[in-house]
Amino acid sequence: MKERLIFALDVDSFDEARHWVELLSAEVGMFKVGKQLFTRCGPQVVQMIREQGGGVFLDLKYHDIPNTVAKACVEAARLGVQMFNVHALGGATMMRTMVEEVRAAAEAEGFEVPIMLAVTILTSSSESDLRAVGIDRPVVEMVPLLARLSQQSGLSGVVASAQELPLIRQACGDDFIVVTPGVRPANAALDDQQRVMTPAKAIAVGADFLVVGRPISRAEDPVAVARAIVAEMSEVSA
Ligand code: C5P
């Protein structure tokens, strides 16, 4: 279960990242590196995590013309990350081209194909935000539509809130990977998350990986909280 817990490395310096990786690499399977940390520290932060034995979820949400996204994702895969993501709104051709080029490079160069994920609709987007950019369909239709499009384009899964999980399972089946943020142990602060689920509930409704940040990083004893989350996840699957 530990392998299915991803710690969100939402920090802004290499030293702080290293502190968390040293503290938690025995407790979690992966570290999520986002735009802030990657823009600040670059590939050396990925290298540091790998040297400490951690996996990396490179959360850069690529969205551009097919050739540009494919080339960037090949570079992400060459870094040895275990997971990365693109925006499904970039379209089927972008996603398909990316998958083909990453697979071809992995075969030619002998590295492993990472788990390739899509983001459907950002959970921060309201329906009025979407209407303002010309998307009139409700989120409950857009999420499964984009998840299905990602699956048909060869991606392995999506990042989605636990509330969206049933819709995605219905559209894409049980083998499609769902990575779920917005996880809060009972009694933990919500921070800026609105719709949250406990680790046990998220696993019970079918999440494959959980992304957890502040409930661990802001805890008095982060290691104990990480262990408690893994224990809670394990109870469900037992
Ligand atoms: O600290 P917290 O547990 O809320 O961190 C969750 C992580 O997951 C953050 O890095 C956040 O950006 C990310 N995330 C999210 N909701 C989404 C997609 C990503 O909270 N829908």
Side-chain angles (χ1 to χ4, degrees), residues 8-10 32 34 59 61 119 121-124 159-161 164 180-184 190-193 211-217:
L9 209 41
D10 291 326
K32 183 170 83 69
D59 179 21
K61 301 186 184 72
V119 172
I121 297 291
L122 291 170
T123 48
S124 53
V159 182
S161 77
E164 294 165 347
T180 300
V183 174
R184 290 290 178 271
L190 294 188
D191 307 303
D192 55 359
Q193 299 283 7
V211 177
V212 183
R214 287 162 294 180
I216 295 174
S217 65

Side-chain angles (χ1 to χ4, degrees), residues 1-86:
M1 256 318 147
K2 180 200 112 174
E3 300 307 321
R4 293 167 63 180
L5 178 59
I6 304 173
F7 176 67
L9 209 41
D10 291 326
V11 297
D12 60 8
S13 78
F14 186 85
D15 286 346
E16 222 185 315
R18 189 169 43 202
H19 159 78
W20 286 110
V21 174
E22 283 172 358
L23 190 70
L24 295 173
S25 55
E27 314 301 333
V28 305
M30 263 182 260
F31 293 87
K32 183 170 83 69
V33 174
K35 288 188 173 83
Q36 182 185 16
L37 184 61
F38 195 78
T39 303
R40 174 95 182 226
C41 300
Q44 86 179 105
V45 77
V46 173
Q47 201 181 333
M48 177 272 290
I49 296 167
R50 295 192 63 220
E51 281 168 7
Q52 298 282 336
V56 178
F57 169 17
L58 192 63
D59 179 21
L60 298 182
K61 301 186 184 72
Y62 296 108
H63 185 170
D64 208 314
I65 60 171
N67 180 59
T68 300
V69 168
K71 297 285 183 275
C73 292
V74 168
E75 295 305 337
R78 281 186 180 134
L79 291 178
V81 305
Q82 214 170 316
M83 261 182 198
F84 65 77
N85 56 8
V86 302

Side-chain angles (χ1 to χ4, degrees), residues 164-222:
E164 294 165 347
L165 252 157
L167 288 173
I168 290 164
R169 287 275 166 252
Q170 202 179 8
C172 302
D174 287 340
D175 292 337
F176 201 53
I177 292 173
V178 181
V179 176
T180 300
V183 174
R184 290 290 178 271
N187 309 322
L190 294 188
D191 307 303
D192 55 359
Q193 299 283 7
Q194 309 274 338
R195 290 171 294 129
V196 301
M197 235 179 233
T198 64
K201 186 81 201 295
I203 293 290
V205 297
D208 295 292
F209 294 89
L210 306 186
V211 177
V212 183
R214 287 162 294 180
I216 295 174
S217 65
R218 296 203 175 154
E220 242 170 71
D221 185 347

